[in-house]
């Protein structure tokens, strides 16, 4: 049985760790908790407006990779193979790409050939508008003319290893995941699906796993993260028949 995953997402704006709300920097956090080994993965995303302070993000990836013992995914402004190689040398185990898939799918195919499908996570950023889910890139700033079905088809053609679905509407809301669209996406693809945006308490994790049948849940609400609380939620999930790693 493949274990479900609990994943931390950390967003950095010009080198500073922030919580986000609808993909915009909200308020600062602290990064003194990162050695928690009970979390299954960590995702680091650069949400700066440009690459002007990119070296600060490189330093962050290097620092965290040295102090953490779970897989690290890196995302944000990844658009060439040289930078992918740099992140890998800094300690990244996976990359998260979004815009690149829609702008240069041939390069994405080359990346998956060179590094393997498991190295690449494809991001889908969604917002509900007039009862229609629309897909965005560039941290929610650019609307794409593509529907969910064709987006998933493109991911599969590019040999993407898994999908990270982020709800722009729920981001920072603490109202829970958008399980309606998460369930639809999970049903339409054979790829593993992890979800982000809206978690405010551990019950939201349970609800997402039970109703959407997804493979992993992400959150960047750092106040949740203590070894005791993560251990408790994992034990609760296992008791409910949702298998997760507990040690």
């Amino acid at each position: 049985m493949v274990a479900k995953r609990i994943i931390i997402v950390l967003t950095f704006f010009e080198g500073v760790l922030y919580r986000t709300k609808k993909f915009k920097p909200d308020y600062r956090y602290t990064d003194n908790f990162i050695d928690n080994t009970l979390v299954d993965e960590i995702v680091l995303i650069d949400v700066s407006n440009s690459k002007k302070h990119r070296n600060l993000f490189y330093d962050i990836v290097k620092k965290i990779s040295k102090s953490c013992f779970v897989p690290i995914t890196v995302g944000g402004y990844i658009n060439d193979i040289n930078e992918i190689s740099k992140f890998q040398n800094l300690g990244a185990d996976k990359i998260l790409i979004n815009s690149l898939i829609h702008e240069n799918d041939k390069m994405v195919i080359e990346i998956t050939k060179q590094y393997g499908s498991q190295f690449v996570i494809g991001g889908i950023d969604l917002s509900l508008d007039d009862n229609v889910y629309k897909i965005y890139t560039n941290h929610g700033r650019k609307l794409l003319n593509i529907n969910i079905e064709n987006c998933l088809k493109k991911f599969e053609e590019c040999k993407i290893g898994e999908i990270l679905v982020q709800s722009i509407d729920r981001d920072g809301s603490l109202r829970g995941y958008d399980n309606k669209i998460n369930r639809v996406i999970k049903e339409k693809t054979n790829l593993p699906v992890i979800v982000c945006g809206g978690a405010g308490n551990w019950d939201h994790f349970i609800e997402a796993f039970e109703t959407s049948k997804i493979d992993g849940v992400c959150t960047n609400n750092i106040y949740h993260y203590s070894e005791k609380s993560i251990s408790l939620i994992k034990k609760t999930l296992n008791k409910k028949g949702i298998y997760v790693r507990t040690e």
Side-chain angles (χ1 to χ4, degrees):
M1 181 183 297
V2 178
K4 304 291 187 178
R5 290 170 284 160
I6 294 179
I7 302 165
I8 291 176
V9 174
L10 303 179
T11 51
F12 294 87
F13 183 82
E14 297 184 355
V16 179
L17 181 60
Y18 276 85
R19 177 179 181 264
T20 63
K21 191 170 185 179
K22 294 199 173 182
F23 286 18
K24 296 180 180 179
D26 192 359
Y27 57 80
R28 296 184 184 189
Y29 274 147
T30 174
D31 62 355
N32 60 5
F33 71 99
I34 293 172
D35 60 348
N36 195 319
T37 56
L38 283 180
V39 174
D40 297 300
E41 297 179 26
I42 294 177
V43 178
L44 310 175
I45 304 178
D46 187 354
V47 297
S48 304
N49 292 326
S50 70
K51 283 189 173 183
K52 182 178 180 180
H53 301 284
R54 190 65 158 180
N55 285 336
L56 296 175
F57 188 62
Y58 296 148
D59 291 342
I60 288 164
V61 175
K62 182 178 181 180
K63 174 187 175 183
I64 293 178
S65 68
K66 286 184 176 180
S67 62
C68 124
F69 300 96
V70 297
I72 294 175
T73 297
V74 175
Y77 296 109
I78 296 178
N79 51 24
D80 65 73
I81 292 180
N82 289 334
E83 186 160 56
I84 291 170
S85 178
K86 181 176 181 65
F87 277 126
Q88 190 177 47
N89 291 335
L90 290 173
D93 301 283
K94 303 177 185 178
I95 59 166
L96 169 65
I97 56 176
N98 189 327
S99 303
L100 186 63
I101 299 173
H102 304 284
E103 296 170 358
N104 193 342
D105 55 353
K106 290 183 179 179
M107 182 182 291
V108 176
I109 292 172
E110 287 302 314
I111 292 168
T112 55
K113 284 182 179 179
Q114 181 172 337
Y115 293 94
S117 295
Q118 76 285 346
F119 183 72
V120 183
I121 300 176
I124 302 180
D125 298 339
L126 295 169
S127 182
L128 186 61
D129 185 10
D130 290 333
N131 293 318
V132 176
Y133 284 95
K134 297 183 179 180
I135 299 175
Y136 290 78
T137 60
N138 298 101
H139 307 303
R141 292 188 286 267
K142 182 179 179 181
L143 174 64
L144 297 182
N145 184 25
I146 189 171
N147 60 28
I148 291 173
E149 289 79 4
N150 288 331
C151 183
L152 293 174
K153 182 180 179 181
K154 178 174 285 191
F155 281 21
E156 291 170 355
E157 290 172 347
C158 289
K159 308 297 182 182
I160 296 297
E162 63 183 325
I163 298 169
L164 171 57
V165 182
Q166 298 201 65
S167 170
I168 298 173
D169 305 318
R170 299 292 182 102
D171 184 50
S173 70
L174 310 183
R175 295 188 293 116
Y177 299 101
D178 188 339
N179 292 312
K180 177 180 178 181
I181 190 60
N182 293 338
R183 182 171 61 251
V184 168
I185 290 175
K186 181 60 181 175
E187 290 173 350
K188 289 181 178 294
T189 182
N190 293 320
L191 296 175
V193 175
I194 55 181
V195 299
C196 188
N201 58 62
W202 297 126
D203 287 339
H204 291 151
F205 286 20
I206 296 169
E207 182 182 4
F209 283 127
E210 290 183 338
T211 63
S212 303
K213 310 302 180 184
I214 39 82
D215 302 278
V217 291
C218 306
T219 181
N220 61 4
N221 293 306
I222 292 176
Y223 64 82
H224 284 310
Y225 297 127
S226 69
E227 186 170 338
K228 182 178 180 180
S229 62
I230 292 177
S231 176
L232 179 60
I233 184 57
K234 284 196 165 188
K235 290 177 181 178
T236 302
L237 287 168
N238 278 328
K239 287 180 180 179
K240 288 182 172 292
I242 302 168
Y243 173 59
V244 292
R245 178 183 68 88
T246 54
E247 57 182 38

